[in-house]
Amino acid sequence: MNHLPQAWGRPRDDIYGAYDHSYLQSNGPKQHTQSPIVTGTSVLAVKFKDGIVIAADNLASYGSLARFTDVKRLRPFNSTTVIGVGGDVSDMQYLDRMLNSLDISENYGSAGHALNAKNLHTYLAKVMYKRRSDVNPLWNAILVAGLDGEDKPFLSSVDLLGTTFSSPTLATGYGAHLAQPLLRKLVEDEDKVKDVTREAAVEAIKHAMKVLFYRDARSMDKYSLAVVTKEGGVELKEDEQLEGQSWAFAETIRGYGTQVV
């Protein structure tokens, strides 16, 4: 009998036969991700007269398990742009490495100019569409918030198909159903952006995050919030906490707790 440490835990060859190493070879067909495993939920954003407010909670769920509670899904890019990512976390990490490389090449390049939010959104749209065309999409929904080349507020989205959309208010995931109606009460269209203050925009985002925490089983009460303005650049807070929660409304929902029918 082989008592050497490298044989510990392995079936004995003289009883079970030699180990079949063909299981370790990857000579089969090329495989791609069919569905995301560890995911982040909604990203919310709204324009105001001087900039953009964007927020996302810090939870990454493993299926229905609230597994990772400190995953930051807002990523600053230079001093004018913040990217919020929902969907698959591993694909988000791939995008983060890619954007780090892009940032380095732009900073050390000889062109003498920096990418603004509009440039970055165009770049990400091309990346997402290329991956979709390869039938190997990045399973993410992305919001790009910041300032364009004229220092005006810019907000747009791109999904795993490379489809783009711009609006004064945007939300991904479950937030597209619950948060968008709340944000549109504040900003109905582009003409109303000039009347919205920073304080009103931040309050609307916080209220929408609270509603999502009540209703979205894949959300949590700790979130990241960023404000992008021409004067202040990117102001990012990564450990904000929801305040003033009340679950009193749940008592009136049929099926909640002990009730007499």
Side-chain angles (χ1 to χ4, degrees), residues 132-149:
R132 171 256 193 186
S133 299
D134 292 342
V135 200
N136 185 22
L138 297 170
W139 292 78
N140 297 110
I142 304 171
L143 296 189
V144 180
L147 305 175
D148 62 14

Side-chain angles (χ1 to χ4, degrees), residues 71 85 88-98 140:
V71 176
V85 185
D88 190 71
V89 171
S90 62
D91 286 345
M92 179 186 73
Q93 293 168 336
Y94 169 81
L95 285 170
D96 188 55
R97 292 192 297 270
M98 183 183 66
N140 297 110

Side-chain angles (χ1 to χ4, degrees), residues 8-23:
W8 293 356
R10 292 186 56 181
R12 289 172 52 183
D13 291 348
D14 57 333
I15 296 178
Y16 299 100
Y19 186 76
D20 184 3
H21 292 277
S22 64
Y23 294 114

Side-chain angles (χ1 to χ4, degrees), residues 210-254:
K210 185 185 296 185
V211 170
L212 286 173
F213 178 57
Y214 287 151
R215 295 293 186 178
D216 186 358
R218 306 292 172 266
S219 64
M220 68 178 300
D221 57 349
K222 189 165 64 173
Y223 63 98
S224 301
L225 185 143
V227 180
V228 186
T229 60
K230 180 180 179 180
E231 295 76 18
V234 175
E235 303 170 43
L236 176 61
K237 300 178 181 178
E238 293 187 323
D239 291 302
E240 294 290 281
Q241 187 79 27
L242 291 177
E243 299 176 352
Q245 302 171 33
S246 173
W247 295 93
F249 69 89
E251 297 178 359
T252 62
I253 300 176
R254 291 179 66 88

Side-chain angles (χ1 to χ4, degrees), residues 18-240:
Y19 186 76
D20 184 3
H21 292 277
S22 64
Y23 294 114
L24 303 177
Q25 298 177 6
S26 57
N27 55 0
K30 187 175 181 180
Q31 297 181 351
H32 299 317
T33 302
Q34 300 298 308
S35 62
I37 303 299
V38 179
T39 59
T41 183
S42 308
V43 183
L44 315 180
V46 61
K47 288 183 181 180
F48 63 96
K49 62 180 181 180
D50 297 319
I52 303 280
V53 181
I54 183 171
D57 68 23
N58 296 345
L59 178 67
S61 300
Y62 180 74
S64 60
L65 173 67
R67 178 64 182 85
F68 305 101
T69 59
D70 195 29
V71 176
K72 309 300 191 299
R73 297 189 291 120
L74 297 186
R75 196 252 192 225
F77 187 90
N78 60 48
S79 61
T80 64
T81 308
V82 174
I83 299 165
V85 185
D88 190 71
V89 171
S90 62
D91 286 345
M92 179 186 73
Q93 293 168 336
Y94 169 81
L95 285 170
D96 188 55
R97 292 192 297 270
M98 183 183 66
L99 291 175
N100 271 327
S101 177
L102 177 64
D103 197 18
I104 292 171
S105 64
E106 285 296 316
N107 287 334
Y108 286 93
S110 58
H113 63 82
L115 295 177
N116 57 51
K118 191 173 183 179
N119 301 146
L120 192 60
H121 175 258
T122 302
Y123 174 80
L124 287 172
K126 301 298 184 184
V127 168
M128 300 297 277
Y129 185 77
K130 194 267 181 185
R131 289 292 296 261
R132 171 256 193 186
S133 299
D134 292 342
V135 200
N136 185 22
L138 297 170
W139 292 78
N140 297 110
I142 304 171
L143 296 189
V144 180
L147 305 175
D148 62 14
E150 300 176 352
D151 290 331
K152 294 180 179 179
F154 175 86
L155 176 60
S156 195
S157 68
V158 58
D159 64 10
L160 79 166
L161 300 178
T163 305
T164 62
F165 184 75
S166 297
S167 175
T169 65
L170 285 175
T172 71
Y174 207 48
H177 304 283
L178 290 187
Q180 272 285 53
L182 301 174
L183 298 176
R184 283 173 178 162
K185 285 184 178 180
L186 178 69
V187 189
E188 294 181 2
D189 51 42
E190 288 286 351
D191 294 334
K192 299 294 180 63
V193 172
K194 64 180 182 299
D195 301 324
V196 180
T197 65
R198 170 176 174 156
E199 292 73 20
V202 170
E203 189 60 33
I205 287 289
K206 288 184 177 180
H207 176 63
M209 292 297 292
K210 185 185 296 185
V211 170
L212 286 173
F213 178 57
Y214 287 151
R215 295 293 186 178
D216 186 358
R218 306 292 172 266
S219 64
M220 68 178 300
D221 57 349
K222 189 165 64 173
Y223 63 98
S224 301
L225 185 143
V227 180
V228 186
T229 60
K230 180 180 179 180
E231 295 76 18
V234 175
E235 303 170 43
L236 176 61
K237 300 178 181 178
E238 293 187 323
D239 291 302
E240 294 290 281

